[in-house]
Amino acid sequence: MLTMFRWLLRLTIGLIVLIVLSAALIWYFAVRSLPDYNASYRVQGISGPVEIVRSTENVPHIFGDSDTDVFFALGLAHAQDRLFQMTLLRRAAQGRLSEIHGPRALAADDLARRLGLYRNGQASLEVQDAATRAALNAYASGVNEWIRIVNEGAMGRGAPEFFLFPDVIAFWQPADSMAILKLLAASSSNAAAEEILRARLSLSWPEHGPEILARAGIPGNLPAYAALFPGARLGMPERSFDPQAVPMPLGFLAPGPQIGGNAFAAAPQRTAADASLLASDLHVPLTTPSLYYLARLELGSGGVIGATIPGLPLVLSGRSPGLSWGVTPASIDDADIAIEEVQPGNPDRYRGPQGWTSFQTRTEVIRVLDGPNQTVTLRDTLNGPVVPGLDPGLRDVTPIGHVATLRWTGSSRQDTTMTALMGLMRASTAEEAARALTGVVAPALHVALADQARVSHLDAGAAPERRADHPTAGALPSPGWLPETAWQGARSLAAAPKRPQSGISILTEEAPDGGIRRGRLDRLLGDREVHSRDSFIAAQLDVVGPAARGLLPLVGANLWFNGDPAAPGTPERQRQDALALLAEWDGAMNEHLPEPVIYAAWMSALQDRLIRDELGPLADDLVHLQPRFIDAVFRNRAGAARWCDIVQSAATEDCATIARQALDRAILDLSAHFGPDVTSWRWGNMHQARHLHPGLGDLPALGWIMNITQSISGGDFTVARSGLFGGAADPYQAVNGAGFRGVYDLADPDSSVFIISTGQSGHPLSRHYDDLAGLWRRGEYIGMSLDPDLARAAAVGITTLTPAD
């Protein structure tokens, strides 16, 4: 027995030593991948010395003798801090995520390849102007030089994640940047997803289903979707949303827009300092690190500072000495679903305008980690690629014997968007910016501009031209063989900058007619005659929910202070307490309040109760609140109150009854999670921003280390947007928000402020991994100056690059 004890003791001590040594080894290799910001390197690809001056917050200020040297250094700085993120974005655009994520990424890879993101981006490289191609080449050289430095110096492969995904790190190509821009364009468009959902609603309830998504610009006399395909077999829509699916930001091309934002500006006559103000925030899936990266570039046209995206040599939102700009995706119908009939007995041909036509077919192999390789057959038609995996609901609206294809402006192989955005970054006046933006194709953009004397805004991008006799005006999927459904080309949205008469310009990615955030901003900015940087910051951080303020008086009109006081502890008393709180609430979606909890759960239960009986399983896919629909129902616009009656019941329910039942349902569910005391509930307990690491965030142990979780204020429709929906297990989790915020004050440009949602570094052992996350959560900013002396005076590290020749 004593001998056995001794051996067990020895084995235990040995195991502990082995664990300690393994941990030390892992730590050693992980730490080696931390870059030294004070190092000097001799590199190939630059014409003269370059300095990368790092501020306290790890923001690089880049100084070089030429623009190409500066873009080289930007590529190197991006790779120093975000190499794994860059390679992941490249894989997403190439359709190669399955190589590191396994079968769960197969659908995303299949879609990326069918859309041809990389092929179209590579083809578009040839149509960029000489300066842009030079910038792309220099940027790629900078990334590759850092990869070389890492390999030669055995610097931990450049990022700890690469030890878990031991694949070769391919050198960066200019086409990689072009493809990532295509990926961002695909994540900015909602047109195809809305078409599909509208068609599914039409199939569920032909007379009234589409009014859930009704908005201006959509014809009021749309045909029933089934009538577009007489004789074809269409099934009833089935449930397609998977409540257990794990979102993979920056990886999956999920249906619906992933990117949005706000931009607003005030002309000098509306500011306290008689100089223009501009605020910009860019909405993206919340990831760690953030999609955005702050940087300052000293170009020949002047200093530029603001938000970049690792992988792109661009400042998407920022300022130069005389001009500031902010962009948001434009809500235009830039895509159509075309339904193609496959020739019976010959799956290689489809019905075209001139008769049966052969598909253009090619095959590609997708490598799958821990699984067999998948060979996919990609088919194209005159209307675009066949895209069966574009949206989970697409199968519901595709008749048997047909396939769905996508017409999309982003499929252009002559896309000069990169050149246009490069021109915007170098412009010194609004007129120069407008001329540069004529080259934007996709994504379509709203652009706000401000110089010392005035503010203006314009649209940029390509919009499809449809025939006047198009049967659905592009609002529903349509037969691809009909000549009247074909596009007549695409027109440029570019025009001269528009100067608002009020002196206030407001842009969001929302549809022009139903912009709920736009309406809130209009009120916030219109209520003040004179603005300052601080008032713009307050507007940018506003968490008052305009949807809540509009809906609650309608929905609760017959419930406020109704009935005798109920006994404590009863459901009736809970309802009365909840209504009493909501009656005094100003709509602020504050993380410390119980009212947002009650409101959000009530409206969710109410919408479900309104539509569940008519739409059945399709109601599971309408996970986002539709305030305009609920407003129409409770105002009985065009008889919309009919939605309140439950069709399966013998009684005729009115809207007050449905509202009360929905509130009781919400309170019951909330009580099960947070206890019976409604005053103790807190919005921040259920509304948390989870910055998910797109490579390791789903792994139980590593996810705890890599992800950043914070309780935050705001909601889907607040100006400080923190968009839901986290899924059935956590429906109020914030999965989208302002990855970048900036406020530019041209009265004192160096007082302009910026923030991103995490930190500048993607390395989990870096102190800059999450050092900005707390500031972002609290609504704080950092300053960024274009003064070279200030940058050097506050530097915590200066990387020096010298030519190797």
Side-chain angles (χ1 to χ4, degrees):
M1 181 64 71
L2 182 61
T3 301
M4 181 180 295
F5 175 77
R6 287 173 178 169
W7 276 107
L8 286 174
L9 181 62
R10 291 168 185 167
L11 288 172
T12 302
I13 293 173
L15 184 60
I16 292 173
V17 170
L18 183 63
I19 291 173
V20 171
L21 289 175
S22 299
L25 193 64
I26 292 171
W27 178 269
Y28 171 76
F29 282 113
V31 167
R32 282 194 63 79
S33 59
L34 281 169
D36 179 3
Y37 297 131
N38 274 308
S40 296
Y41 302 105
R42 294 180 63 83
V43 297
Q44 298 280 351
I46 57 175
S47 60
V50 181
E51 283 187 327
I52 305 175
V53 180
R54 299 277 182 165
S55 72
T56 306
E57 298 83 10
N58 194 28
V59 177
H61 295 245
I62 302 174
F63 304 95
D65 292 339
S66 68
D67 285 3
T68 53
D69 287 355
V70 170
F71 286 120
F72 177 99
L74 177 64
L76 189 143
H78 276 167
Q80 279 184 308
D81 289 323
R82 303 283 189 90
L83 184 58
F84 180 75
Q85 182 188 45
M86 293 171 66
T87 59
L88 202 65
L89 283 168
R90 176 171 63 183
R91 283 184 178 278
Q94 292 174 329
R96 295 179 54 225
L97 283 170
S98 297
E99 296 175 11
I100 60 173
H101 284 308
R104 63 177 179 167
L106 190 58
D109 287 348
D110 179 85
L111 179 56
R113 297 193 186 208
R114 291 181 186 276
L115 292 176
L117 298 179
Y118 198 86
R119 290 183 298 107
N120 294 334
Q122 190 172 37
S124 295
L125 183 62
E126 301 303 318
V127 299
Q128 309 308 310
D129 66 16
T132 300
R133 289 198 302 273
L136 289 167
N137 286 323
Y139 180 86
S141 296
V143 176
N144 295 334
E145 197 64 16
W146 179 249
I147 295 174
R148 181 191 65 79
I149 291 170
V150 166
N151 290 337
E152 292 182 357
M155 297 171 60
R157 304 200 75 213
E161 294 94 333
F162 288 120
F163 288 109
L164 299 176
F165 301 112
D167 203 358
V168 175
I169 306 173
F171 283 118
W172 199 263
Q173 304 294 329
D176 298 341
S177 297
M178 297 294 298
I180 289 174
L181 188 59
K182 288 285 189 184
L183 177 69
L184 297 177
S187 299
S188 302
S189 174
N190 197 32
E194 278 203 351
E195 269 190 35
I196 294 165
L197 183 53
R198 203 175 289 115
R200 297 176 73 208
L201 290 168
S202 176
L203 289 174
S204 293
W205 197 4
E207 298 86 357
H208 305 296
E211 68 190 16
I212 295 176
L213 299 178
R215 61 180 175 86
I218 300 301
N221 56 346
L222 282 177
Y225 181 68
L228 296 172
F229 304 95
R233 293 177 57 193
L234 279 160
M236 288 298 291
E238 300 177 357
R239 185 167 192 254
S240 64
F241 176 74
D242 181 4
Q244 304 304 322
V246 178
M248 291 199 56
L250 302 186
F252 288 4
L253 292 169
Q258 306 295 300
I259 297 176
N262 305 315
F264 48 96
Q269 67 269 25
R270 296 291 303 272
T271 66
D274 294 326
S276 300
L277 282 165
L278 187 144
S280 172
D281 48 297
L282 302 170
H283 301 157
V284 289
L286 294 177
T287 61
T288 179
S290 169
L291 178 64
Y292 297 109
Y293 179 92
L294 300 175
R296 176 265 180 84
L297 314 177
E298 189 64 32
L299 302 175
S301 56
V304 181
I305 196 165
T308 69
I309 293 177
L312 299 178
L314 298 170
V315 175
L316 289 180
S317 176
R319 74 170 187 89
S320 59
L323 183 71
S324 58
W325 64 94
V327 300
T328 72
S331 180
I332 67 168
D333 189 359
D334 60 356
D336 282 348
I337 300 295
I339 303 297
E340 312 282 14
E341 182 181 358
V342 179
Q343 183 177 5
N346 189 350
D348 295 327
R349 291 166 66 84
Y350 68 98
R351 182 181 176 188
Q354 307 302 322
W356 299 111
T357 307
S358 296
F359 288 103
Q360 296 180 16
T361 304
R362 67 187 187 281
T363 60
E364 294 187 10
V365 176
I366 301 176
R367 291 170 48 204
V368 182
L369 179 69
D370 297 329
N373 293 344
Q374 300 292 317
T375 300
V376 294
T377 300
L378 310 179
R379 298 186 293 174
D380 288 271
T381 70
L382 294 173
N383 291 312
V386 177
V387 285
L390 179 67
D391 185 288
L394 188 55
R395 65 178 180 270
D396 293 339
V397 302
T398 305
I400 294 174
H402 296 68
V403 294
T405 61
L406 178 70
R407 300 185 187 105
W408 174 44
T409 57
S411 296
S412 170
R413 298 170 69 86
Q414 305 289 313
D415 189 343
T416 54
T417 303
M418 183 71 77
T419 293
L421 295 177
M422 190 72 68
L424 170 64
M425 182 174 64
R426 287 175 157 141
S428 58
T429 66
E431 288 71 24
E432 286 183 17
R435 286 194 295 272
L437 291 169
T438 57
V440 173
V441 176
L445 298 171
H446 299 306
V447 184
L449 301 166
D451 57 26
Q452 291 286 352
R454 57 194 181 277
V455 300
S456 57
H457 60 265
L458 55 88
D459 292 338
E465 290 189 317
R466 301 178 179 88
R467 288 174 44 162
D469 58 348
H470 192 296
T472 71
L476 292 171
S478 54
W481 59 86
L482 296 180
E484 55 267 31
T485 65
W487 285 0
Q488 305 303 296
R491 61 181 177 84
S492 174
L493 297 173
K498 302 173 184 175
R499 298 176 188 170
Q501 292 183 350
S502 65
I504 299 290
S505 180
I506 299 173
L507 304 172
T508 71
E509 86 286 355
E510 302 165 296
D513 67 295
I516 296 177
R517 273 185 285 121
R518 186 195 305 261
R520 175 64 181 170
L521 277 169
D522 187 61
R523 181 167 183 175
L524 285 172
L525 301 178
D527 283 349
R528 292 177 63 112
E529 185 62 30
V530 176
H531 285 278
S532 65
R533 188 196 70 169
D534 290 342
S535 73
F536 262 42
I537 290 174
Q540 194 173 61
L541 300 176
D542 183 71
V543 295
V544 172
R549 295 179 67 149
L551 290 179
L552 284 175
L554 283 174
V555 175
N558 295 312
L559 301 179
W560 307 120
F561 310 109
N562 197 358
D564 297 327
T570 62
E572 291 80 7
R573 180 59 176 267
Q574 281 185 298
R575 186 198 313 143
Q576 290 174 355
D577 289 345
L579 288 168
L581 288 171
L582 293 176
E584 302 296 327
W585 183 44
D586 65 355
M589 305 290 288
N590 188 296
E591 62 179 301
H592 304 295
L593 296 179
E595 291 90 345
V597 179
I598 304 166
Y599 157 75
W602 185 10
M603 292 302 109
S604 177
L606 174 62
Q607 179 169 288
D608 184 77
R609 195 167 288 262
L610 288 173
I611 64 178
R612 174 72 58 179
D613 52 319
E614 287 88 359
L615 304 185
L618 179 54
D620 292 320
D621 284 5
L622 293 169
V623 295
H624 294 289
L625 187 68
Q626 303 290 332
R628 293 190 300 275
F629 167 67
I630 296 176
D631 182 269
V633 168
F634 278 81
R635 293 185 188 276
N636 195 23
R637 289 200 181 101
R642 59 181 167 269
W643 287 87
C644 291
D645 182 34
I646 299 176
V647 296
Q648 291 93 342
S649 68
T652 301
E653 290 83 7
D654 59 19
C655 290
T657 300
I658 294 297
R660 178 182 54 78
Q661 291 173 347
L663 179 58
D664 290 345
R665 175 76 265 174
I667 291 174
L668 188 64
D669 291 342
L670 292 171
S671 297
H673 286 87
F674 303 112
D677 183 4
V678 298
T679 61
S680 68
W681 299 343
R682 296 292 179 266
W683 180 231
N685 290 340
M686 61 190 292
H687 182 62
Q688 298 200 341
R690 184 175 181 233
H691 299 77
L692 181 69
H693 189 283
L696 307 176
D698 296 331
L699 302 179
L702 288 175
W704 181 81
I705 298 172
M706 306 296 287
N707 299 332
I708 302 173
T709 303
Q710 302 169 304
S711 64
I712 57 171
S713 301
D716 253 345
F717 302 103
T718 56
V719 175
R721 186 168 184 260
S722 52
L724 313 173
F725 182 85
D730 196 358
Y732 303 106
Q733 183 184 103
V735 298
N736 186 289
F740 163 80
R741 296 188 186 112
V743 179
Y744 318 127
D745 184 357
L746 295 187
D748 181 11
D750 283 344
S751 71
S752 301
V753 292
F754 310 75
I755 197 70
I756 60 173
S757 57
T758 57
Q760 288 282 92
S761 175
H763 198 300
L765 299 182
S766 170
R767 67 186 180 92
H768 299 296
Y769 184 71
D770 59 357
D771 58 335
L772 300 181
L775 300 177
W776 176 83
R777 175 188 174 275
R778 296 192 298 271
E780 299 177 19
Y781 299 77
I782 63 173
M784 288 170 61
S785 170
L786 284 175
D787 186 332
D789 293 332
L790 285 178
R792 289 188 172 90
V796 295
I798 300 179
T799 303
T800 303
L801 308 178
T802 55
D805 298 330

